[in-house]
């Protein structure tokens, strides 16, 4: 069944997002303007319980589904939530960058707010990128050193990201 109101990436793949008590699948990829978005209906993100349901919806809407036998991509954000609640010992820079980026993609999809641009936000984001992709900064490895102000900002932004993503998946 095709949902006439369903919009989304013209090509993409299932993105399984796992949060505490929540495990859902989004259709994620670039839109016609090469900006990453998720499938939505009426301006609200749409998620599915399984990758198969997501593949079927994408195919039914005429999106480029590529190889439906390929596995979905997993984005496990439970460690980010634990760290943000100060339960974890160390920040997972991969999960933190994923949460930050997915929040931006969800906000872009819905037209909602995601205020992640400021001098302090840019510094935090750059450190997360460098920790994930050190070769972009001519480094073989990188472990960020955070100032107190940066950590406060990072906690706030990751809290906002998790809230935004959680609302999108419910």
């Amino acid at each position: 069944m095709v949902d006439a109101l369903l919009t989304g990436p013209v090509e993409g793949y299932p993105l399984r997002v796992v949060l505490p008590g929540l495990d859902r699948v989004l259709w994620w990829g670039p839109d016609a303007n090469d900006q990453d978005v998720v499938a939505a209906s009426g301006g609200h993100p749409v998620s599915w319980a399984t990758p198969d349901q997501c593949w079927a919806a994408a195919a039914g809407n005429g999106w480029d589904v590529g190889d439906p036998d390929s596995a979905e991509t997993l984005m496990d954000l439970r460690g980010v939530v634990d760290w943000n609640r100060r339960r974890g010992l160390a920040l997972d820079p991969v999960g933190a960058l994923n949460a930050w980026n997915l929040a931006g993609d969800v906000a872009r999809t819905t037209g909602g707010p995601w205020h992640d641009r400021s001098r302090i936000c840019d510094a935090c984001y750059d450190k997360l990128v460098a920790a994930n992709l050190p070769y972009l900064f001519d480094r073989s490895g990188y472990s960020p050193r955070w100032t107190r102000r940066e950590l406060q900002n990072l906690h706030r932004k990751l809290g906002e990201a998790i809230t935004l993503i959680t609302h999108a998946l419910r």
Side-chain angles (χ1 to χ4, degrees):
M1 174 168 73
V2 177
D3 181 346
L5 298 176
L6 200 59
T7 61
V10 292
E11 64 179 76
Y13 57 87
L15 175 63
R16 182 174 162 219
V17 181
V18 179
L19 290 158
L22 192 60
D23 187 341
R24 299 291 293 174
V25 181
L26 296 166
W27 182 254
W28 177 88
D31 65 9
N33 298 317
D34 206 28
Q35 297 288 311
D36 289 335
V37 295
V38 298
S41 179
H44 300 285
V46 177
S47 67
W48 293 268
T50 69
D52 288 342
Q53 291 173 346
C54 183
W55 281 119
N61 278 280
W63 298 331
D64 182 357
V65 297
D67 179 11
D69 291 329
S70 65
E72 82 277 0
T73 296
L74 174 63
M75 185 180 288
D76 188 339
L77 301 177
R78 292 175 292 189
V80 174
V81 171
D82 284 346
W83 179 84
N84 210 49
R85 292 177 178 164
R86 293 172 169 58
R87 291 184 189 154
L89 298 176
L91 173 67
D92 169 19
V94 173
L97 185 61
N98 283 339
W100 190 303
N101 286 335
L102 183 57
D105 300 343
V106 169
R108 187 177 303 108
T109 299
T110 64
W114 174 239
H115 305 293
D116 67 333
R117 298 306 312 261
S118 68
R119 202 163 92 199
I120 188 78
C121 284
D122 290 348
C124 291
Y125 186 81
D126 289 348
K127 286 183 178 186
L128 290 175
V129 171
N132 280 277
L133 306 165
Y135 59 86
L136 291 178
F137 299 86
D138 283 333
R139 297 174 186 233
S140 61
Y142 175 70
S143 182
R145 300 186 99 182
W146 303 94
T147 67
R148 180 184 308 239
R149 187 166 172 247
E150 288 170 339
L151 278 174
Q152 289 170 339
N153 184 74
L154 190 59
H155 275 283
R156 183 177 52 81
K157 289 313 300 177
L158 290 178
E160 291 171 10
I162 294 301
T163 298
L164 198 153
I165 294 165
T166 300
H167 287 290
L169 294 175
R170 292 194 188 251

